[in-house]
Amino acid sequence: MSEQAIEAMDISSMGPLEHPTQGQKGTTSGAKPDQYASRLNNLQRIQQKKQAVLAFPYNKKLLKLAVYSKCQLDFQAEKCDCIGWKRVDSTQPNPTFTDPCRCEHLLEMHISHLKDKPEQELNRLLSMVVDVDNMYTAMSREENPETKRVYLYLFRLLRKCVLTLDTPVVEGPLGQPPFQIPSIHKAVSNLLVFKFSHIGQQELKTMYELVRILFHCLNTWDFPCPSSQKHIVSQEEATKYKIEYTRWLVFCYVPTFCDSLQHHDTTMVFGRTLLRAVFKYIRKQIMDQFHRERDTMSADRRVMLLTNFPPFLNQLDEEIYATNSPIWDPNFKAQSVHFQSLLDARIRTGAGITPRKGEFEKVTLGQTDRDGFTTSTLGGKSVRGSDTPLREAKRKRLAQEEQFEDLPQDTVSQIIATIDDPNYMTGPDIVFSEDAPATDATPRLEEKRNVIQLHVVGNSLTEPVSKQTMLWLIGLQNLFSHQLPRMPIEYITQLLFDPKHRTLALVKEGRLIGGICFRPFQTQGFTEIVFCALTSREQMKGYGSHLMNHLKDYHISKGTLHFLTFADENAIGYFERQGFSKDIKMNRAVYQGYIKDYEGATLMHCELNPKIIYTEFTSIVRRQMKFVKQLIYQQQTTVSKIHPGVTFFKEGVRSIPIESIPGIEETGWKPASRTTRGQQLEESQDVDTLAGMLKLVLNAVKAQDDSWPFRLPVDKHDAPDYNDHIKYPMDLKTMADRLKSKYYVSRRLFIADMMRIFTNCKIYNPPESEYYFCAENLQQYFQTKMKELGLWDK
């Protein structure tokens, strides 16, 4: 859509079917750096004019809506098909409700259905009317036939919703956002974790700014029409991009100036397919403008934009077009949880970021939109490129640290042969046998014999549903309503037959005996378990565990690793046995507003491990347990001497050296090769000496200039939300009080409290803040002081 089209949206004077004058198209060479600001001003002006319409007096609002409202005359055989009031006498300046329409009926007949509507509803309809005008102007100005067809569809949708008083919803083959998982936002965040988690805080800070620039461009710049994408040569790619482009217009671009349609950020709802199609185009436009503006840049900005931004784009380019890239894996997990939390906090709104005053230094990034205008003004700071050899060396070192001594293959084979012998028992098993079957052993055996079957079933409004599936759904409806009497049958029916819900049905010998109804939220990364029940006769037989294990394996195959459910007091025990916990480890913002809330129930959470096959879990664990017990028994048989128990403590001795325990050295135990002065103090329990040394450190830390933010507890008036983010506050005054009360009986307690001060500060404050800077400096000084006194061995 052109800039002139936006500027021409004069809704105060334009009628519903008036054709605005065709504007002159812009060109790339004629684009000016202030076009982006002009565009924002035009959008702001549209909103101002919309507010002016909403401020009309009541009668004037009705007159405005009458133009878009159908005639309500429907009396016996006479019915009017007029879909909008039109003046008979266009010279009359102020029409009244008694003026006739071209359909020969009064204006009153076009608004009779609106008089009993509240003002809020009238304002919603008026806002939609303004959007109808805007869409008509955009459609009239657009020259590209592909884009024009989309505008025409949205114009008709909005026009129809004004007539029917409905809310506009885009339906049909386009689908609903999000269109691909993971999204661009998630994948680029994964790239930072995957490629740059080893670099320093200052470098990371700059990487965040580069990502913010990229997100802003993808969310605000126009993408080229499919017919103009010359580099897309295959028919398959062209077809995919045409679909993605249409979705982008409908869900991302048009809602920026027609807010009756729900707006979505491009980076949050699109994934790899769209990015592959437009990345080379966007990249070229960004870099071209960088080079055009290089002479006006300061030295540090030039380093970032011309030296460091290209390597970042190269890294992204490799991952976009690679055959197998981990950043596009829906199950991608950060190795460093702390880094991931910092990243999420830093670019938590990265999908919709626009420059804030004072946040970026001004750098003009030019990009030519569909109508030839240059847009976007951003900037940032410098960053060093990623050090690949350093990263590889770090990975090799970590791999070496993870190596451990494995058992000889002969020993493993011997133990496996022993535990597989049904007539052999080892040690305590001779007296206390553990051959009792696992809880889900019987259902697993029945499943192998095809006595029971499990099926994932669900309703559909777009595809045929088999008779057997419908019979199972009806059977599940009866099962849940009988076993869950507190749930209204209407509510059970609504959710069970909702196409967004699925149910894992357990069928035994042709009878439906149990099921778990669930609602997947793939975009949020979790599934809500709605109903879970078994028939009374089949309870306490392991079917409940078997059902849940199958549900876990099913979701792991789909890439979903979190379950949430509201459990009543009778079901809490069952869910706890299945690995659920009342300790919710997911961020509240992820599931709030999605999961259904039940009064008197407890929210529970279960995190799945993708490396576990849950339907085989109990048998594997039991086998591993037998293996370990046999290995321990073999080790025990090699020790022929039995030592008496120690009696030192009965004689009043409070502590002894480890090596003085009889037989300890025969087990292969060896004392530590190096003992620090701090360890000696702890082992000797010289609390007074230790306290004196810790006091020296604490006084030295308090005397440092950078300690001023940490000398007293955080004032709630200065930071009202501090306790919402920091669970365990700590400060130097509290540490001094603890030192006086002889709380620090070991140096590790002292170190833990001091490090908590620095950690709390870094969690609550951004890296660029003065507090963060003080914490880093003071932490370095504290560690140095501890090392000087021999109290630091990390």
Side-chain angles (χ1 to χ4, degrees), residues 46 79 107 422 429 714 793:
I46 292 173
K79 182 177 181 180
L107 186 151
D429 290 344
V714 175
D793 62 344

Side-chain angles (χ1 to χ4, degrees), residues 440 442-457 472 476 503-516 518 533-534 542-554 574 615:
D440 61 342
T442 301
R444 281 193 284 111
L445 184 60
E446 290 182 351
E447 186 178 7
K448 289 181 180 179
R449 295 175 179 174
N450 205 32
V451 176
I452 63 173
Q453 303 92 35
L454 292 105
H455 307 274
V456 177
V457 297
W472 279 335
L476 288 165
T503 304
L504 179 62
L506 176 60
V507 180
K508 181 178 182 180
E509 298 176 342
R511 292 183 301 107
L512 194 70
I513 66 170
I516 300 178
F518 58 93
L534 285 166
Y543 291 122
S545 297
H546 194 58
L547 256 175
M548 187 61 71
N549 288 337
H550 264 284
L551 189 67
K552 291 176 179 178
D553 288 345
Y554 172 80
Y574 165 76
T615 48

